[in-house]
Amino acid sequence: MTDDDALARAAGLGDPWRGRAAEIAEAVAHARRLAGAFPRPADETAEPMPAFAVPQPKAARA
Protein backbone atom coordinates (compact mmCIF):
# COMPACT_ATOMS: atom_id res chain seq x y z
CA MET A 1 0.00 0.00 0.00
CA THR A 2 1.37 3.40 -0.97
CA ASP A 3 1.13 6.56 1.12
CA ASP A 4 -1.57 7.84 -1.22
CA ASP A 5 -3.58 4.64 -0.78
CA ALA A 6 -3.26 4.85 2.99
CA LEU A 7 -4.33 8.51 3.04
CA ALA A 8 -7.28 7.80 0.76
CA ARG A 9 -8.39 4.92 2.94
CA ALA A 10 -8.00 7.03 6.10
CA ALA A 11 -10.18 9.71 4.52
CA GLY A 12 -12.90 7.16 3.83
CA LEU A 13 -12.26 6.93 0.10
CA GLY A 14 -12.84 3.24 -0.42
CA ASP A 15 -14.41 1.25 -3.25
CA PRO A 16 -16.30 4.14 -4.91
CA TRP A 17 -12.95 5.83 -5.58
CA ARG A 18 -11.28 2.80 -7.11
CA GLY A 19 -9.94 3.72 -10.55
CA ARG A 20 -9.68 7.41 -9.68
CA ALA A 21 -6.06 7.32 -8.56
CA ALA A 22 -5.16 10.50 -10.44
CA GLU A 23 -7.83 12.49 -8.62
CA ILE A 24 -6.80 11.11 -5.25
CA ALA A 25 -3.11 11.83 -5.96
CA GLU A 26 -4.01 15.40 -6.93
CA ALA A 27 -6.01 15.88 -3.72
CA VAL A 28 -3.18 14.46 -1.61
CA ALA A 29 -0.64 16.73 -3.33
CA HIS A 30 -2.90 19.73 -2.76
CA ALA A 31 -3.31 18.87 0.93
CA ARG A 32 0.46 18.53 1.32
CA ARG A 33 1.04 21.92 -0.34
CA LEU A 34 -1.51 23.53 1.98
CA ALA A 35 0.02 21.92 5.06
CA GLY A 36 3.47 23.18 4.06
CA ALA A 37 2.20 26.71 3.39
CA PHE A 38 1.64 27.53 7.04
CA PRO A 39 4.70 28.56 9.06
CA ARG A 40 5.43 26.48 12.12
CA PRO A 41 6.68 28.21 15.28
CA ALA A 42 10.21 27.41 16.41
CA ASP A 43 8.82 26.67 19.87
CA GLU A 44 6.22 23.89 19.58
CA THR A 45 4.49 25.07 22.75
CA ALA A 46 4.03 28.62 21.45
CA GLU A 47 0.57 29.68 20.35
CA PRO A 48 0.31 30.48 16.65
CA MET A 49 -1.44 33.75 17.51
CA PRO A 50 -2.36 35.58 20.67
CA ALA A 51 -5.48 34.38 22.39
CA PHE A 52 -8.55 36.48 21.70
CA ALA A 53 -9.54 38.64 24.63
CA VAL A 54 -12.76 40.59 24.86
CA PRO A 55 -12.04 44.16 25.87
CA GLN A 56 -13.54 45.32 29.17
CA PRO A 57 -16.61 47.53 28.76
CA LYS A 58 -16.03 51.20 29.35
CA ALA A 59 -17.52 52.67 32.50
CA ALA A 60 -20.83 54.43 31.95
CA ARG A 61 -20.67 58.19 32.31
CA ALA A 62 -23.08 59.72 34.78
Side-chain angles (χ1 to χ4, degrees), residues 5-58:
D5 292 335
L7 289 171
R9 184 174 290 171
L13 304 176
D15 291 334
W17 287 89
R18 199 170 309 277
R20 299 178 91 174
E23 293 175 45
I24 292 173
E26 184 179 343
V28 168
H30 181 69
R32 285 186 175 144
R33 281 193 306 274
L34 281 176
F38 294 96
R40 303 212 185 271
D43 180 7
E44 293 179 3
T45 62
E47 286 191 56
M49 64 179 63
F52 180 75
V54 177
Q56 294 295 324
K58 294 180 182 178

